[in-house]
Structure formats: C-alpha cells, structure tokens
Amino acid sequence: MSATTTILETNISDLRLIHRGKVRDVYQVNDQQYLLVATDRISAFDCVMPTPVPNKGKVLTQLSKFWFSRLGHLTNHHLINADFEKMPANIKQNLELDGRSMLVKKTKVFPVECVIRGYLAGSGWKDYKATGMICGHKLPEGLSEADKLPQPIFTPATKADTGHDENITELEFENIVGVETAQQLSSISLKLYQEAAEFALTRGIIIADTKFEFGLDEEGNILLIDEILTPDSSRFWSIENYQVGQSPPSFDKQFVRDYLETLDWEKQPPAPALPNEIVEATTKRYLEAFRLLTGKDLA
C-alpha cells in the first residue's frame, strides 16, 4: 500500500461544521444533506488519543458503505453517496476526504443506541455474572464468557456525546422513543444483526455484538444512520481464535485499551501518545477486518 495521509481533524472552509465527535466531523452540505467525515482519531476510556491510526477512517467509511449496500433490502438508510468522484465539486476540492466521506440524508436522530448481543462479552458478561441477566433479559444458568446466547437479544442504551453510554431496560427505551417506534427499532436491529452475523461467519468472523443508530427523515420515515458493523461499533472475533471461557482477541480498539491499562494514567485528558508498534498493530487489525468481510484489500 502506498504512503498514507492520516487525518486527525478536518476543516472544510465552505461547509458549516455541525459536530466534531470522537471520530467523525459532520458538516452541513444543504438543508437536506450532511457530510460525514471519518477521521483517523481513536478514543479509549472516553478520551481521544493524540495519535492517529492510519487508514482507520477509511476502513470505517468503506465498510459502512459495504454493509449499507448489502443490507439495504432490510431497511431504509441515510447513505446517498460514498463515491468521492460523485461528490459535489466543493467537496471534491478537498482531496484528503477521498475514501473517508459519506454524503447522507439529514435526520432527527433518536437519542439511543440499539445494541444487539449474540454472545456473552463485555459489560453483558459482567452483568450476567452479577445478576444472571442482561438489561432485563433472563439468561440460562451456567453460561461462560464468550458463550453464544440461545438467541440474539436487544439491549438498548442511552446515546452519550461524552462519557459512557448507559444500558437501559426495554421499558425505559419505550419511554424515550415510544412503544411503536421501540418495537420497530428492535425488530429492524435484530434482522440486521442476524443477516450480518450469518454472512460474517462465512468470512471467518464472529460478530459478538454490535450497535445501530436510527433517525427520522422529513417524512417521518425511520432510517438506519451513522456507521454500521465496523470495528468501532462492533465486537469482531476471529473464528480461528474463538474459545469459550475467555475473551477472544478482537478486530477493534480493545488492543489499545489493553495497552493503556499497563500505563500509570488516570484515564483523564490529556491522553498519552501511542507508540508506533501499538498504532501499527491497531491499523493491521482494522485492515484485516475489512479484508475478511469484503473479500478485498482497502483501496
């Protein structure tokens, strides 16, 4: 692969910056459209690292494009175009945006995360050990870490701009978005996960869990938005390394978290710089996830 330009922050002079998140910079293109730019920022413990991870933003964008196309028959989504050559002229002037930008429909975002868990991991494993339940779902006794659940479960969470997302019950979820909408979002999320998980298994990847976000367009239609089924929004495990009873290595930033846990750092800003070997290994994990799922190398 040729030399790669890393992007920590974008500044598009003739577009209005709407939001700068942990990873994405969001610009308003017109009254109906936004431009989502995935930078190479990486966050851990709610802190953005000062060191970029090469190709991370391109992986997130191109993998989302892949999934929007593959799963588009299940639900409407916000993606208009992720082909840089077809972007408006004022966007194409910014060559650094090539491969990491999505032109999307503007929506009113639901303030919730639609989390689907197919395996016992992360905070779900901690909750299960303590209560035998995850977000109100009673699970069989005797399960081990990384066990496949009898069936995927919907475990919603609040959507936090800063700090941690908080798990909530389905009743709390209904109170936030309404009963009918809650049923729709749950049903769509489960269908998306089930089809994606079945496909990923054929590519050597287990999707242990993932999260989806949704919004309403001007006509009141529910649209799948943001990124989908990427290493940032999902827990990907290699089938080759999967073993019940332990946390399998994943294609995501857990590698960075594990490194940070070895440091004398209070998990408060400013975050420490990442050494080259950690950055390179993280990039390798993101690129490998992309290659396995799409069947091709990142362009």
Side-chain angles (χ1 to χ4, degrees):
M1 183 176 292
S2 59
T4 301
T5 299
T6 56
I7 304 292
L8 258 179
E9 185 175 290
T10 63
N11 291 284
I12 306 176
S13 59
D14 55 349
L15 292 181
R16 184 161 71 94
L17 180 68
I18 300 296
H19 177 69
R20 203 184 296 281
K22 292 175 182 176
V23 175
R24 282 171 182 74
D25 295 342
V26 183
Y27 294 89
Q28 182 165 339
V29 176
N30 54 47
D31 289 344
Q32 289 82 39
Q33 298 176 355
Y34 284 156
L35 184 73
L36 303 188
V37 182
T39 70
D40 296 317
R41 296 193 293 267
I42 189 167
S43 66
F45 305 112
D46 300 315
C47 293
V48 176
M49 303 293 108
T51 315
V53 174
N55 283 309
K56 179 176 179 284
K58 290 186 177 181
V59 167
L60 300 184
T61 300
Q62 298 306 313
L63 196 51
S64 292
K65 175 185 175 183
F66 169 82
W67 286 117
F68 277 126
S69 175
R70 184 166 191 89
L71 302 175
H73 63 284
L74 295 177
T75 185
N76 295 322
H77 57 73
H78 72 161
L79 179 61
I80 298 171
N81 173 41
D83 184 344
F84 191 69
E85 293 303 315
K86 297 178 181 178
M87 291 287 185
N90 60 337
I91 295 173
K92 288 197 293 183
Q93 296 178 112
N94 302 272
L95 297 180
E96 71 276 12
L97 304 183
D98 191 1
R100 60 175 71 247
S101 306
M102 294 194 301
L103 191 65
V104 303
K105 297 175 184 177
K106 179 180 177 181
T107 64
K108 181 180 179 182
V109 180
F110 291 111
V112 288
E113 304 275 8
C114 293
V115 181
I116 305 293
R117 301 175 189 270
Y119 292 74
L120 201 50
S123 64
W125 168 237
K126 292 178 182 178
D127 290 348
Y128 173 77
K129 285 193 296 181
T131 67
M133 304 173 70
I134 302 179
C135 298
H137 293 270
K138 178 67 176 176
L139 299 177
E141 295 181 2
L143 295 179
S144 300
E145 185 174 16
D147 251 329
K148 184 176 182 179
L149 300 178
Q151 61 186 26
I153 58 174
F154 178 73
T155 60
T158 57
K159 180 176 168 55
D161 287 331
T162 59
H164 293 288
D165 297 336
E166 297 290 340
N167 292 340
I168 56 176
T169 65
E170 292 195 55
L171 179 59
E172 290 172 312
F173 179 66
E174 291 175 353
N175 289 336
I176 293 171
V177 301
V179 174
E180 183 178 347
T181 298
Q183 292 172 344
Q184 289 178 284
L185 297 183
S186 173
S187 175
I188 295 169
S189 297
L190 285 165
K191 288 177 182 177
L192 289 167
Y193 173 81
Q194 288 167 335
E195 183 159 325
E198 289 173 6
F199 170 78
L201 284 175
T202 70
R203 300 290 196 173
I205 285 184
I206 294 169
I207 304 179
D209 52 50
T210 193
K211 65 179 180 180
F212 300 108
E213 296 185 43
F214 296 90
L216 291 175
D217 66 11
E218 288 187 334
E219 286 75 44
N221 300 309
I222 293 175
L223 302 184
L224 177 63
I225 66 168
D226 199 59
E227 65 178 315
I228 57 168
L229 295 157
T230 72
D232 269 17
S233 67
S234 314
R235 197 186 310 266
F236 293 151
W237 294 334
S238 167
I239 291 177
E240 290 183 2
N241 300 323
Y242 174 66
Q243 186 174 336
V244 174
Q246 62 185 42
S247 179
S250 54
F251 295 98
D252 61 15
K253 58 187 177 183
Q254 187 60 47
F255 184 72
V256 173
R257 293 192 194 98
D258 291 345
Y259 162 74
L260 293 170
E261 289 281 18
T262 69
L263 304 181
D264 183 18
W265 175 51
E266 297 295 327
K267 300 182 178 63
Q268 297 290 329
L274 301 176
N276 289 338
E277 61 269 23
I278 297 298
V279 171
E280 291 170 3
T282 304
T283 291
K284 183 178 179 180
R285 281 164 168 77
Y286 277 77
L287 291 174
E288 181 67 0
F290 180 86
R291 185 188 67 79
L292 288 171
L293 286 168
T294 67
K296 60 185 180 181
D297 292 325
L298 185 71

